[in-house]
Amino acid sequence: MQSPAVEREPQSFDTVVSSMCTEPHPAAREAAERFLATNPGDPATYETVAELERTVVADLARLAEHPAFAAGSDGDHATADRYGYVTSGGTEANIQAVRAARERHRRDGDTHDRDGAGNHRGGEPNVVVPASAHFSFQKAASVLDIELREVPTHPIDGDPEQAGCVDLDALAAAVDEEPALVVAVAGSTAYGRVDPVTEVAAVAESVDAAVHVDAAWGGFYLPFTDHDWSFADAPVDTITIDPHKLGQAAVPAGGLIAREPATLDSLAVATPYLETHAQATLTGTRSGAGVASARAAFDALYPDGYRAAQERATELAAWLDAELTQRGYTVRPRDLPVVAVDLPESLVAQLREAGWRLSPTAAGEARVVLMPHVDRESLTALLADLDRLR
Amino acid sequence: MQSPAVEREPQSFDTVVSSMCTEPHPAAREAAERFLATNPGDPATYETVAELERTVVADLARLAEHPAFAAGSDGDHATADRYGYVTSGGTEANIQAVRAARERHRRDGDTHDRDGAGNHRGGEPNVVVPASAHFSFQKAASVLDIELREVPTHPIDGDPEQAGCVDLDALAAAVDEEPALVVAVAGSTAYGRVDPVTEVAAVAESVDAAVHVDAAWGGFYLPFTDHDWSFADAPVDTITIDPHKLGQAAVPAGGLIAREPATLDSLAVATPYLETHAQATLTGTRSGAGVASARAAFDALYPDGYRAAQERATELAAWLDAELTQRGYTVRPRDLPVVAVDLPESLVAQLREAGWRLSPTAAGEARVVLMPHVDRESLTALLADLDRLR
């Protein structure tokens, strides 16, 4: 059995309705193709793409209302690499946020938290996440060898105001030892819920833990909503925002942004063979295509195009919700446009057989993620198949 | 200060002589562009690219003489994902190899290595690397929170047979506690040296440690040499080989190959939201462009094109070596075509000012890496500038 031909075509996006990936914006695709053979991981050799990366980081920081890159100030991209970088995706950004918090916990333990004999007083650090957190935090815990504590979310079939968001009482109870990090989810993978970031940060602050906001998916919708999620909204230390999801850049282009340069410093290792002297990234060689495409997407879409995408997706989610509710199905509450619906398992299986790329939540609901490539036409076709099969 | 224009062009490769990245093969570029919007990290949604990935893993395993994918057998790509995956690059592959060894050490500790009270007998695991190992092992140690022990290499200005290779006596002395992993470098970043893999593996076996071969760069040249490096040559557990270096694929396409499926199993975490149930990769969303380009590069180049590239680079290195030696400079010994030359620091600075992307070794030599894009013409221009400036 040999090579099933690279000549085959990739999937069409017409039937992809549960993915958090999408088609890159045409300008992003063009830039990705042009910068395919560049490596921002070696900035002295590949200078142009390294400079593009700094501008992308500055724009991500501005999107997340970072105080050093306030809207209108136009920031200063020359120093942006002290505040973040373009990661391979949200998983790397989340792993690095947990890693930075682990290092901070150790450092603070070294100076403040020792008993008379010079021993570290407390136990091992842990990271506290809502049960709604992406499975990348499981990876982070496994890789970084740090305890992961999952805090329950409010039942998805309970009070719609809170359903699927972290239970703050349970969170307060879980942080009794010495968490290195408390995570808030701003746009959950299953339901598009946004945790109460300000309240989560207050709990974290009470035990001197760092605060990370996972807005990997939601980060390009949230600025156009009233939700608290940014550096300006709460004492957040790090944020994950991925250009290659709703930013309409090409894969791989995730984003990690930190409030303090010390966070990036804590991730750095020395780099012989390169003209630069330290590297804070988890990977070494990195994709210039992702970086250049993120630059081009920002140029094409920030802010009006991103706002229009958010408004369009929100309206489309409301329309799909109404269509499904009218058919007697239960649609879960959401903050951002993910429509999770309690379809019978056999019906989901039939829809998948009919070609729909429909993935479930952990609880088994079918999930439609309103990405830029998902439109009224594809959802009408989905509903038609649903009507035919149910 | 705003966007320094994505319209600017990336660097030309004409003057890039120290990078381990290169221009992708034209077929690889075409495939990368076609599969730009796919995600092998979600194989139920992006089936085609996931299948292409399995064929790439099978081909990498075959290149590394994996017993389950022996040459001529055509292997069985259907099961290839049990033996490896296409990583974001060599760094991820090396981190994952160390992580798998750490997990194995713990597991074996649980069953074999306990004292009467049920406590694990030994100390913490460590990973033993030659001083020539890539800095990704520093990252691995930092991320995975495992001790890194560096073993000296033979002096680069000593016996040319051993210069720059791991000192086996020092290695034997360093493994006295309980290493989880011993690393051999097959194509060092600085000098292109290949450690004596069989002897390194024997030392590792004597203390029941796992063996990893870092052939991230060398893996596509080594099959056409007499060096021991593969699964067939020694009891090696894991190998890093990167298609996006000498494999002439597009970034990001690294490779991790394991002898045993248990290695991949030890890296897996559960994956809700996806139809598949576990993920052994460090990243989540991954680049279909890298995977498809690796498939296309194998189709275009394996094995004759890769052999021709190795022969051409070897001859070019010998020619450059002779030219530099004739000018009175000291060229370091090598196994694979990396020409490290002891130029005065001021001359290297002048060459960099003249536009050459020339990076140093840790010891300060200038390094020319004979990648496919480096040719007689570009090296003649480099020598002309050198003659003008010295």
Side-chain angles (χ1 to χ4, degrees):
Chain A
M1 181 156 46
Q2 193 47 295
S3 341
V6 72
E7 290 75 22
R8 275 171 56 191
E9 289 304 313
Q11 84 301 329
S12 146
F13 271 102
D14 293 350
T15 57
V16 173
V17 290
S18 297
S19 183
M20 291 188 155
C21 295
T22 192
E23 286 180 291
H25 186 278
R29 171 178 281 277
E30 186 279 330
E33 293 178 358
R34 203 149 39 80
F35 279 83
L36 198 62
T38 64
N39 170 18
D42 181 0
T45 302
Y46 303 93
E47 291 167 350
T48 305
V49 78
E51 186 168 13
L52 294 180
E53 180 175 17
R54 290 191 291 274
T55 72
V56 170
V57 172
D59 280 350
L60 286 171
R62 199 165 292 126
L63 197 70
E65 300 185 287
H66 192 292
F69 299 86
S73 83
D74 257 3
D76 179 354
H77 74 259
T79 62
D81 53 2
R82 302 182 62 204
Y83 295 93
Y85 69 95
V86 176
T87 67
S88 58
T91 295
E92 177 179 345
N94 286 340
I95 291 174
Q96 293 282 70
V98 178
R99 183 176 163 219
R102 185 189 69 181
E103 301 308 313
R104 190 185 95 140
H105 182 274
R106 281 186 186 158
R107 200 177 53 233
D108 291 355
D110 281 351
T111 52
H112 302 308
D113 202 25
R114 293 188 171 271
D115 64 19
N119 295 313
H120 191 245
R121 262 206 300 256
E124 289 293 306
N126 59 71
V127 48
V128 181
V129 301
S132 53
H134 186 261
F135 66 86
S136 50
F137 290 98
Q138 310 273 1
K139 277 190 192 175
S142 164
V143 168
L144 298 167
D145 204 12
I146 185 171
E147 183 198 347
L148 186 71
R149 295 197 179 178
E150 274 196 9
V151 172
T153 49
H154 292 286
I156 195 64
D157 54 0
D159 173 8
E161 283 296 309
Q162 301 189 314
C165 292
V166 67
D167 180 330
L168 289 168
D169 293 335
L171 179 67
V175 298
D176 57 350
E177 284 175 43
E178 46 180 321
L181 182 68
V182 176
V183 174
V185 179
S188 65
T189 312
Y191 303 112
R193 294 311 312 247
V194 179
D195 286 328
V197 171
T198 307
E199 288 79 358
V200 169
V203 173
E205 220 171 16
S206 73
V207 291
D208 205 23
V211 178
H212 176 66
V213 173
D214 184 0
W217 179 73
F220 281 82
Y221 280 166
L222 288 160
F224 313 108
T225 71
D226 293 332
H227 293 285
D228 282 357
W229 71 287
S230 75
F231 290 111
D233 294 329
V236 169
D237 293 287
T238 46
I239 302 184
T240 296
I241 315 178
D242 289 353
H244 73 200
K245 294 189 173 88
L246 291 173
Q248 301 183 41
V251 175
L256 174 68
I257 307 294
R259 185 184 291 271
E260 302 292 343
T263 302
L264 270 285
D265 294 345
S266 73
L267 301 173
V269 304
T271 54
Y273 326 118
L274 300 180
E275 285 299 294
T276 42
H277 299 299
Q279 205 173 72
T281 58
L282 193 56
T283 57
T285 294
R286 291 186 295 134
S287 165
V291 165
S293 74
R295 175 69 266 142
F298 263 116
D299 287 347
L301 296 168
Y302 180 77
D304 295 343
Y306 288 131
R307 181 184 289 109
Q310 186 270 338
E311 288 170 357
R312 177 191 156 282
T314 302
E315 282 165 25
L316 209 51
W319 172 80
L320 179 63
D321 183 329
E323 289 286 330
L324 291 163
T325 304
Q326 191 183 311
R327 284 165 174 80
Y329 298 115
T330 303
V331 175
R332 300 307 185 192
R334 68 185 168 275
D335 291 306
L336 302 181
V338 175
V339 176
V341 55
D342 199 7
L343 297 183
E345 209 173 300
S346 59
L347 182 53
V348 175
Q350 283 176 293
L351 286 167
R352 285 193 57 88
E353 258 170 60
W356 294 97
R357 312 292 170 112
L358 199 61
S359 307
T361 66
E365 296 106 343
R367 247 167 99 240
V368 174
V369 183
L370 281 299
M371 297 301 292
H373 70 266
V374 176
D375 58 16
R376 180 81 171 246
E377 194 184 335
S378 56
L379 294 179
T380 302
L382 174 66
L383 289 170
D385 275 358
L386 185 147
D387 288 336
R388 183 170 59 79
L389 294 166
R390 76 202 183 108
Chain B
M1 179 156 49
Q2 192 47 295
S3 344
V6 72
E7 292 74 23
R8 276 172 57 193
E9 289 303 313
Q11 83 301 329
S12 145
F13 273 101
D14 292 351
T15 58
V16 173
V17 290
S18 297
S19 183
M20 290 187 156
C21 295
T22 192
E23 285 179 293
H25 185 278
R29 171 178 280 277
E30 185 279 330
E33 294 178 357
R34 203 149 38 81
F35 278 83
L36 198 63
T38 64
N39 170 17
D42 180 1
T45 301
Y46 303 93
E47 291 168 349
T48 305
V49 78
E51 184 167 15
L52 293 179
E53 180 175 16
R54 290 191 292 274
T55 72
V56 170
V57 172
D59 280 350
L60 285 171
R62 198 166 293 125
L63 198 69
E65 301 186 285
H66 191 293
F69 298 86
S73 82
D74 257 1
D76 179 354
H77 74 258
T79 62
D81 53 2
R82 302 183 62 203
Y83 295 93
Y85 70 95
V86 176
T87 67
S88 57
T91 295
E92 177 179 344
N94 287 340
I95 291 174
Q96 293 281 69
V98 178
R99 183 177 163 218
R102 185 189 70 180
E103 301 306 314
R104 190 185 95 140
H105 182 274
R106 281 186 185 157
R107 200 177 55 234
D108 291 356
D110 281 350
T111 51
H112 302 307
D113 202 23
R114 294 189 170 270
D115 65 17
N119 295 313
H120 192 243
R121 262 205 299 255
E124 289 294 305
N126 59 71
V127 49
V128 180
V129 303
S132 54
H134 185 260
F135 65 86
S136 50
F137 290 99
Q138 310 272 2
K139 277 191 194 176
S142 165
V143 168
L144 298 167
D145 204 13
I146 185 171
E147 184 198 347
L148 187 72
R149 295 197 179 178
E150 274 196 9
V151 172
T153 49
H154 291 286
I156 195 63
D157 54 1
D159 173 7
E161 282 297 309
Q162 300 188 315
C165 293
V166 68
D167 180 329
L168 288 168
D169 294 335
L171 179 67
V175 299
D176 57 351
E177 284 176 43
E178 45 180 321
L181 181 69
V182 176
V183 174
V185 179
S188 64
T189 311
Y191 304 112
R193 294 312 310 248
V194 179
D195 286 328
V197 171
T198 306
E199 288 80 356
V200 170
V203 173
E205 220 171 17
S206 73
V207 291
D208 205 23
V211 179
H212 177 66
V213 173
D214 184 0
W217 178 72
F220 281 83
Y221 280 166
L222 288 160
F224 313 107
T225 71
D226 293 332
H227 293 286
D228 283 355
W229 72 287
S230 75
F231 290 110
D233 294 329
V236 169
D237 293 287
T238 46
I239 301 184
T240 295
I241 315 177
D242 289 353
H244 73 201
K245 295 189 172 89
L246 291 172
Q248 302 183 42
V251 174
L256 173 68
I257 307 293
R259 185 184 292 273
E260 302 292 343
T263 302
L264 270 284
D265 293 345
S266 73
L267 300 173
V269 303
T271 54
Y273 326 117
L274 300 180
E275 285 298 295
T276 42
H277 299 299
Q279 207 173 71
T281 59
L282 194 56
T283 57
T285 294
R286 291 187 294 133
S287 165
V291 165
S293 73
R295 174 70 267 143
F298 263 116
D299 287 348
L301 296 167
Y302 180 78
D304 295 343
Y306 289 131
R307 181 184 289 109
Q310 186 271 337
E311 288 170 357
R312 175 191 158 285
T314 302
E315 282 164 25
L316 210 49
W319 173 79
L320 179 63
D321 183 330
E323 289 286 330
L324 290 164
T325 303
Q326 189 184 311
R327 284 164 174 80
Y329 298 116
T330 303
V331 174
R332 300 307 185 192
R334 68 184 167 277
D335 292 306
L336 302 181
V338 176
V339 177
V341 55
D342 200 7
L343 297 183
E345 210 173 298
S346 59
L347 182 54
V348 175
Q350 284 176 293
L351 286 167
R352 284 193 57 89
E353 256 170 62
W356 294 97
R357 314 291 171 112
L358 198 60
S359 307
T361 66
E365 295 106 345
R367 246 165 99 240
V368 174
V369 183
L370 281 299
M371 297 302 292
H373 70 266
V374 175
D375 57 18
R376 180 79 171 248
E377 194 184 337
S378 57
L379 294 179
T380 301
L382 175 66
L383 289 169
D385 276 357
L386 186 148
D387 288 336
R388 183 170 59 80
L389 295 166
R390 77 203 182 108

